[in-house]
Amino acid sequence: MKHFVTSKFRYILYLVLVAPLLLFIAYAFSTRWFFPQPFPIEWTMETFQHVFHDSQTIPSLAQGLWIASLVGLLSLILALPAARVLGLRKFRGRQLVWLLFFLPTIIPPLSVGMGLNILFLRVGLAGTIAGVVLAHIIPTLPYTIFTLSSAYARFDENYEFQALALGASPWHIFLNVTLRMMTPSLVVAALFAFLISWSQYLLTLLIGGGQVITLPILLFSAASGGNPSVIATLSLLFIAPPVLVIAVTARQLNQHGNQIREQY
Amino acid sequence: MTTVNIISLNKTYPNQSAPVLKDFSLSIHDGEMVAFLGPSGSGKSTLLKLITGIERPDSGDIQFDDSSILNIDPNKRGAVLMFQKSYLFPFLNVEDNIGFGLKVQGASSQIIHAEVKRMLNLIGLPGIEKRKSGQLSGGEGQRVALARALVTNPKLLLLDEPLSSLDTEVRINLQEVIRNIQRELGVTTIFVTHDLGEAMAMSDRMALLLNGEIVALDTPENLFHRPRSLAAAKFMGVSTFLSGDPLIVQKEACSSSDKVFAIRPEHIRVQKDTCDQSMPGVVSDCVFRGEYVEYLVAVDGTHVRARMSMPAPMFPHGAQVFVKFPREHLFEVQNQESA
């Protein structure tokens, strides 16, 4: 009975996840779909071609990917030292440091964005990709630090001592031992940063100021236009990179899960 | 071949009041294996960290062949470590694990391949070059870790309880393997353990550590049969101490300033009838342990632990017996913590 309920619940969950996607597909590849017909009357590639031929679609897609990738990389570089200390060392005020790192997730993004906008206008970073990247790092960093510090908490420093005693330099050890052993967690942390950056609307709008156009900006603009086919097509484009990235990193995600299971 | 001199080493960790090592001095000869035996917190592992350079001492010096190594980078000291776990890199196969140190030194792939093969033959595991570390048993992993440590021809091999996580059979087998290889290569070795039997089976000399100090340093034979201090005797499993004339069993082994004599449990006789040098007692416990019987007998208000090889009589709890302390097995111990 219990199994029956859990499997039913699982299928309902799948339906909730997949249903919007099916709707997007139906809307994106059709022109006429009226109530009470269960399926569209006419299937077409017209909307898709129209969206792709729009001068803003491909640049915004590329720009968003570039920004999200940069944010992923920079978040990792910035998070690693903090995560190492938080994961491996016990010191007074550790909880306070945790709280400080998590502040960006507590403070409303609008306040952060407005403050950053004023600051970036002064230093000339407003309306630039660099400014948007820096702004995106603020909400991503807590997640990368959290993921990597958990990985460091599971990491046994004796692997590093072993390599050191065998003659390896600290830099060689970091690159060839530590990072290699933490690869699954690094991928997961980068994925978090990528996904958060990829779906950022507010910070991109505030800091980019219309100069930096990413797919969420286009999507919001299309949503206010009210054409369901265009909204659905852009939504499919918006979903595609995260799905692709998750598929490519599935092995690492699985290893990360196994490492956590082994720990408990 | 390296002579190691540890001179007046002191180390106290931040936020700790008691020092981990106190004025610690020791000389280890070329090709010698010295076992460091002591309870947790006695400073054994700290000493290894100081030698490898993971930690720095507050004062004192560590010398290899009369040259200080304290200012040499940890990765250039030539002191290799082997831990309780093999710590083989999981992303490398056996060949790459063993060849790690040589690769770091810039050796060519032909040399690495040949050396790995030589080491695998030496540890008795030829042909496993391509196996992943996860495919090795605990004993195999430790052998590969030993090969990885020795392939770089280190000045000093540091073994930090390398066998404590293994089954008894594998452990005894590896004791022989490590000892034979260490003798064959003549590498100076420090072996840290809390297992008395293992320390005696493997080392040329044993250093007994307590609270950051050496309480005894001698060959296993001398330490076992004739420990010179009270602390060393206790360490070596002696629990019966006698003093005075006629001899009486001491309630507190170090309370008296008189001459203190000790006797090993296996030399104490427990018998039904009285004789010379015996005292009456009551059996508190009598346990059959296969090769011997262990008795706990209340004598003169304190407990005496005795061990008699089979065949030996079994006594019920509360039985009246006589405990004999043969004079030829009594030895004097200094009533102070170090000797």
Side-chain angles (χ1 to χ4, degrees):
Chain A
M1 182 66 189
K2 193 182 167 193
H3 176 74
F4 178 76
V5 172
T6 51
S7 65
K8 274 243 165 176
F9 180 73
R10 204 168 63 191
Y11 287 122
I12 291 168
L13 203 68
Y14 287 156
L15 194 71
V16 169
L17 288 171
V18 174
L21 195 66
L22 294 176
L23 269 177
F24 284 151
I25 292 170
Y27 270 118
F29 295 98
S30 67
T31 48
R32 298 172 69 204
W33 189 9
F34 305 112
F35 186 79
Q37 286 148 345
F39 299 106
I41 299 165
E42 212 174 290
W43 293 92
T44 175
M45 291 288 288
E46 207 176 286
T47 319
F48 226 84
Q49 282 164 351
H50 168 74
V51 168
F52 262 98
H53 284 121
D54 187 289
S55 62
Q56 283 190 310
T57 308
I58 299 296
S60 69
L61 188 75
Q63 198 142 270
L65 282 174
W66 171 235
I67 289 170
S69 306
L70 263 178
V71 168
L73 184 71
L74 289 173
S75 290
L76 281 191
I77 293 169
L78 290 172
L80 267 169
R84 185 179 175 97
V85 174
L86 287 168
L88 289 176
R89 307 277 173 260
K90 299 227 171 341
F91 55 91
R92 277 180 70 180
R94 189 163 166 264
Q95 295 301 324
L96 190 71
V97 175
W98 265 119
L99 186 71
L100 279 173
F101 280 130
F102 269 84
L103 271 183
T105 58
I106 303 163
I107 295 169
L110 193 62
S111 329
V112 178
M114 293 305 279
L116 277 179
N117 193 23
I118 296 165
L119 179 73
F120 283 6
L121 274 170
R122 284 186 186 167
V123 295
L125 280 169
T128 66
I129 287 183
V132 172
V133 168
L134 285 176
H136 281 194
I137 285 173
I138 291 167
T140 59
L141 211 50
Y143 296 98
T144 44
I145 289 175
F146 181 75
T147 311
L148 293 178
S149 65
S150 319
Y152 265 119
R154 293 190 301 275
F155 180 71
D156 193 334
E157 275 185 292
N158 280 336
Y159 282 105
E160 293 179 341
F161 297 151
Q162 189 66 256
L164 190 73
L166 288 167
S169 66
W171 187 239
H172 182 96
I173 293 167
F174 177 69
L175 288 178
N176 295 293
V177 177
T178 315
L179 287 189
R180 280 192 76 174
M181 289 194 71
M182 288 184 46
T183 303
S185 303
L186 287 170
V187 171
V188 171
L191 188 65
F192 270 135
F194 179 90
L195 293 178
I196 293 166
S197 170
W198 175 250
S199 53
Q200 272 297 321
Y201 167 73
L202 194 64
L203 284 174
T204 314
L205 186 74
L206 283 170
I207 306 299
Q211 305 294 310
V212 180
I213 306 288
T214 58
L215 215 53
I217 305 275
L218 275 194
L219 190 57
F220 268 77
S221 152
S224 58
N227 184 337
S229 294
V230 174
I231 297 168
T233 309
L234 283 172
S235 296
L236 282 179
L237 275 180
F238 185 59
I239 294 165
V243 170
L244 208 68
V245 171
I246 290 170
V248 169
T249 57
R251 194 162 158 257
Q252 269 75 23
L253 288 173
N254 196 28
Q255 279 180 7
H256 179 77
N258 287 340
Q259 281 177 2
I260 291 170
R261 267 192 292 280
E262 278 167 20
Q263 188 189 8
Y264 296 106
Chain B
M1 300 288 267
T2 311
T3 303
V4 178
N5 287 313
I6 300 165
I7 304 160
S8 299
L9 221 51
N10 285 290
K11 175 71 184 174
T12 307
Y13 284 113
N15 306 326
Q16 277 185 12
S17 53
V20 191
L21 290 176
K22 281 183 275 187
D23 201 26
F24 190 100
S25 296
L26 175 71
S27 285
I28 304 169
H29 314 305
D30 261 357
E32 189 182 27
M33 185 188 275
V34 175
F36 283 67
L37 191 72
S40 298
S42 58
K44 307 184 301 280
S45 296
T46 300
L47 183 70
L48 299 194
K49 284 180 182 171
L50 294 177
I51 295 172
T52 50
I54 295 167
E55 296 282 348
R56 278 194 74 82
D58 300 332
S59 63
D61 198 8
I62 302 168
Q63 298 176 344
F64 286 0
D65 293 327
D66 299 323
S67 301
S68 176
I69 58 157
L70 290 185
N71 292 323
I72 298 175
D73 288 340
N75 57 328
K76 289 173 184 148
R77 291 188 180 187
V80 291
L81 266 170
M82 190 177 154
F83 293 104
Q84 188 176 341
K85 255 177 77 180
S86 65
Y87 287 109
L88 296 176
F89 303 123
F91 46 86
L92 298 178
N93 62 21
V94 168
E95 181 172 11
D96 293 336
N97 259 294
I98 297 177
F100 184 90
L102 290 174
K103 197 173 176 185
V104 166
Q105 287 174 1
S108 69
S109 54
Q110 286 96 327
I111 289 174
I112 294 173
H113 186 71
E115 281 297 297
V116 168
K117 205 170 175 182
R118 184 176 75 86
M119 291 312 298
L120 283 175
N121 284 329
L122 196 67
I123 59 167
L125 293 172
I128 63 159
E129 286 93 336
K130 300 299 169 204
R131 273 207 226 164
K132 284 275 183 191
S133 59
Q135 297 172 307
L136 302 174
S137 68
E140 286 172 337
Q142 285 302 67
R143 284 179 192 227
V144 172
L146 179 69
R148 179 175 66 173
L150 291 173
V151 77
T152 52
N153 198 17
K155 290 178 180 167
L156 179 65
L157 174 64
L158 302 164
L159 305 173
D160 190 0
E161 305 196 27
L163 310 176
S164 55
S165 62
L166 302 173
D167 298 338
T168 312
E169 200 182 330
V170 182
R171 192 173 176 156
I172 291 168
N173 176 262
L174 261 176
Q175 284 175 8
E176 286 172 25
V177 170
I178 293 176
R179 190 67 179 120
N180 291 339
I181 291 174
Q182 187 267 337
R183 279 188 182 142
E184 192 177 326
L185 301 179
V187 59
T188 311
T189 304
I190 291 176
F191 179 72
V192 161
T193 180
H194 58 256
D195 185 319
L196 178 62
E198 198 165 271
M200 289 196 292
M202 293 181 70
S203 61
D204 297 310
R205 282 192 298 161
M206 281 164 54
L208 307 184
L209 264 72
L210 208 59
N211 301 323
E213 289 178 296
I214 295 180
V215 294
L217 174 70
D218 211 331
T219 61
E221 293 84 359
N222 286 344
L223 275 179
F224 187 79
H225 292 299
R226 291 283 185 270
R228 281 184 286 178
S229 71
L230 200 68
K234 283 192 222 169
F235 229 108
M236 300 305 289
V238 178
S239 58
T240 306
F241 300 91
L242 306 102
S243 64
D245 191 18
L247 288 171
I248 53 160
V249 179
Q250 280 193 191
K251 282 181 187 168
E252 289 296 327
C254 52
S255 62
S256 168
S257 58
D258 294 334
K259 271 188 176 178
V260 176
F261 293 93
I263 185 165
R264 291 204 61 79
E266 53 271 26
H267 292 143
I268 299 171
R269 316 303 303 165
V270 179
Q271 55 200 44
K272 209 172 173 200
D273 303 314
T274 183
C275 66
D276 275 356
Q277 303 152 24
S278 71
M279 293 176 179
V282 179
V283 174
S284 299
D285 203 5
C286 178
V287 183
F288 173 70
R289 293 197 185 274
E291 290 173 354
Y292 60 88
V293 177
E294 194 163 75
Y295 308 92
L296 196 62
V297 185
V299 179
D300 203 16
T302 189
H303 279 94
V304 168
R305 192 175 292 278
R307 203 175 282 165
M308 285 170 67
S309 302
M310 291 301 286
M314 296 292 291
F315 295 108
H317 175 81
Q320 301 283 330
V321 291
F322 288 90
V323 182
K324 184 182 176 186
F325 303 100
R327 281 194 183 275
E328 65 272 23
H329 291 300
L330 289 173
F331 54 90
E332 193 182 337
V333 289
Q334 288 169 22
N335 195 357
Q336 58 192 46
E337 287 304 314
S338 59

